[in-house]
Each structure stands twice: as structure tokens, then as C-alpha cells.
Amino acid sequence: MTETPGRMAPTTDRGLSPVCLGIWSAQARHTLLDGTALLLVMLAAGVLRFVMLDARELFRDEAGSWLLASAAWHEIVPRSAAEPYAPVYQFLLKAWMSLFGDSHAALRALSGAAGLMLVGVTWAWARQALGSSVPAVIAAGLVALSPLALANSRDVRMYGLEALLILLAWWLLWRLLADRRPLPQRWAAILLAAAAVAAELWTLPTGVAAFALQLAVVGILQLRAPHLGVRAGGLALAAGLVAFLPGIPRMLDAASVQQPYWTPTP
């Protein structure tokens, strides 16, 4: 090709400039550091939740969970009629036992898995809400080291699972409230949040208190600054409550008895 006098020949060098390479390297280092910090937090949380799970015998409530989950599938509901909560955890524990057995460590590992997921969801919500990985890692670390969260993650009870479901419901509701898109574009997100709300209600009566707080937040926003996100959050709460309606009479009846089925009559 003949060059035109007075003009520079076109170049075929399309490599990245040193500035672009520097920016990319800084971003890569930042991502690597963030990932390493999160990995260390998750490893610490896993060690604290899964090491020496069989170091002590089952206490009474743990034994009650095992006893219910050891029953036949069709017997779990009638046997748990005196409990002030639906046997969601017992069904899940029975499925878990069918995979991993019923040793002390295996039984407690279900709560450990829920506790580890709690740490991960905390990080994800904080990262999305605050837009920075440093406070997200700090928040996940606080949950990882929380004495109450640790205790709930090492028991054959439903408290660790309930904490995870409540946090998921809050996170999904927050995502709905922060999103201003038209409702037809968010039905999947609304249904997912409604499922988390229904799950928190069905697992423990603690979910009723969490639902009341979530309803208060949505109600205050509706009064002060109504928008499509608030309407989406209200729809999710309403759908979750409707899904829990069959469980309300059972919960009230069991609460009036206050006598677990495995405890002998005084």
C-alpha cells in the first residue's frame, strides 16, 4: 500500500494502553482482595459452626426435633399438633437425615448450613445496599462471630433456619422497595419475596414479629413516600400472609396448650 504524502499511515496496533492496563490491574487487585476477605470470613464461620458438633449429647428440645423427624412422613403433622409452630423444620430435618444419617453431628449440620448461608446473605445484602465490599465484609464478620447466631447454628432446632428465612424476607422486600419499575415487570420478584415471608411465618412464631415489623416499614413508607416499590412490597406481604392463613388457628390452639407432645403431663 502506498502512503499518502503528508499523512500518517494507519496503525493496526489495537492493544490496551498502559492507562487501561493500570485500571484493569487495580480493579483485579481490588476484586481479589474482596474475594479473599469474604472467603476468610466464610471459612471462619464454617469452622465455628461445624467443628466438634458431636462433642455433647442432645438436650431435650434437640431430642424432640429428632423424635419428630424420625416418625413416618404422614405421622409428623399429627404428632406435632401440640407445637406452636408448623413442622416445616421437622420435614426438612427428615429429608436431611435420609441423606446424611442421624448422628449428632449430622443432625446439627443442618442448622450449621443455615447459619453459614445467613452469613453469605448478610454479605450480599450489605454489598448491594452500601455499594462497598468493606462494610459488607464487616457485617458478615459480625454475624459470623455472633454468639447467638453461633448457638443457633449448632443446635438441632429451627432457630437458625428461621433467622435465615427472616433475613431473606427482609432482603427481598428491600429489593422490591428500592425498585421503581412497573409491577408487571417484577411479578417474579414479588412472588419470591412472598414465599420468603410465608416461610418465615410457617417456621416459627418469631416470624409473626418479623412480619409485623416489615408491615410497619411498608406502611410508614406508604404514608410518607408512596411509590411502585412500596406497592410491590405490600403485595408481597399480603401474599405471604394469605399463604399463612391456614396456620393461624393451629398456632393459636397450640399456644394455648403450651405442652410439647414428648413432655409427660405433670
Side-chain angles (χ1 to χ4, degrees):
M1 176 174 135
T2 304
E3 295 186 7
T4 303
R7 297 181 60 184
M8 182 178 294
T11 179
T12 59
D13 183 14
R14 297 184 180 274
L16 294 175
S17 68
V19 175
C20 292
L21 287 174
I23 294 175
W24 181 86
S25 299
Q27 291 176 344
R29 287 195 299 269
H30 185 69
T31 302
L32 180 61
L33 289 175
D34 291 346
T36 302
L38 176 61
L39 179 61
L40 291 176
V41 170
M42 296 300 291
L43 285 175
V47 169
L48 292 172
R49 282 155 177 77
F50 290 103
V51 170
M52 298 180 63
L53 287 179
D54 56 352
R56 57 184 172 84
E57 295 295 326
L58 300 180
F59 61 84
R60 191 197 70 167
D61 288 359
E62 287 185 304
S65 296
W66 167 80
L67 191 59
L68 263 177
S70 298
W73 289 97
H74 66 279
E75 294 179 353
I76 292 179
V77 171
R79 287 194 179 194
S80 63
E83 296 294 338
Y85 46 79
V88 174
Y89 173 78
Q90 278 71 27
F91 280 112
L92 185 60
L93 181 60
K94 185 172 183 62
W96 183 272
M97 288 165 53
S98 66
L99 295 175
F100 304 104
D102 62 351
S103 67
H104 291 8
L107 292 172
R108 290 171 175 144
L110 175 57
S111 294
L116 194 61
M117 292 175 63
L118 181 72
V119 176
V121 173
T122 300
W123 178 88
W125 186 9
R127 182 69 175 83
Q128 186 177 23
L130 302 176
S132 175
S133 59
V134 174
V137 170
I138 293 175
L142 290 174
V143 175
L145 300 177
S146 165
L148 181 59
L150 279 173
N152 290 340
S153 298
R154 297 178 63 87
D155 288 343
V156 192
R157 297 296 285 168
M158 65 291 297
Y159 307 121
L161 176 64
E162 175 73 339
L164 173 62
L165 293 173
I166 289 176
L167 183 64
L168 278 172
W170 274 113
W171 181 29
L172 294 173
L173 285 170
W174 174 83
R175 287 169 59 94
L176 288 177
L177 295 174
D179 193 346
R180 306 298 181 92
R181 290 180 301 163
L183 294 182
Q185 300 180 17
R186 292 187 290 159
W187 283 116
I190 293 173
L191 292 176
L192 188 61
V197 170
E200 74 179 6
L201 289 170
W202 275 103
T203 302
L204 268 180
T206 313
V208 177
F211 177 85
L213 291 173
Q214 293 157 357
L215 184 62
V217 169
V218 173
I220 291 172
L221 289 176
Q222 177 63 33
L223 291 175
R224 294 181 61 88
H227 55 80
L228 289 177
V230 177
R231 187 180 303 176
L235 287 174
L237 288 174
L241 180 60
V242 169
F244 180 63
L245 288 179
I248 293 179
R250 181 185 184 280
M251 181 183 68
L252 295 177
D253 291 341
S256 65
V257 175
Q258 296 182 349
Q259 183 72 24
Y261 84 95
W262 67 80
T263 304
T265 303

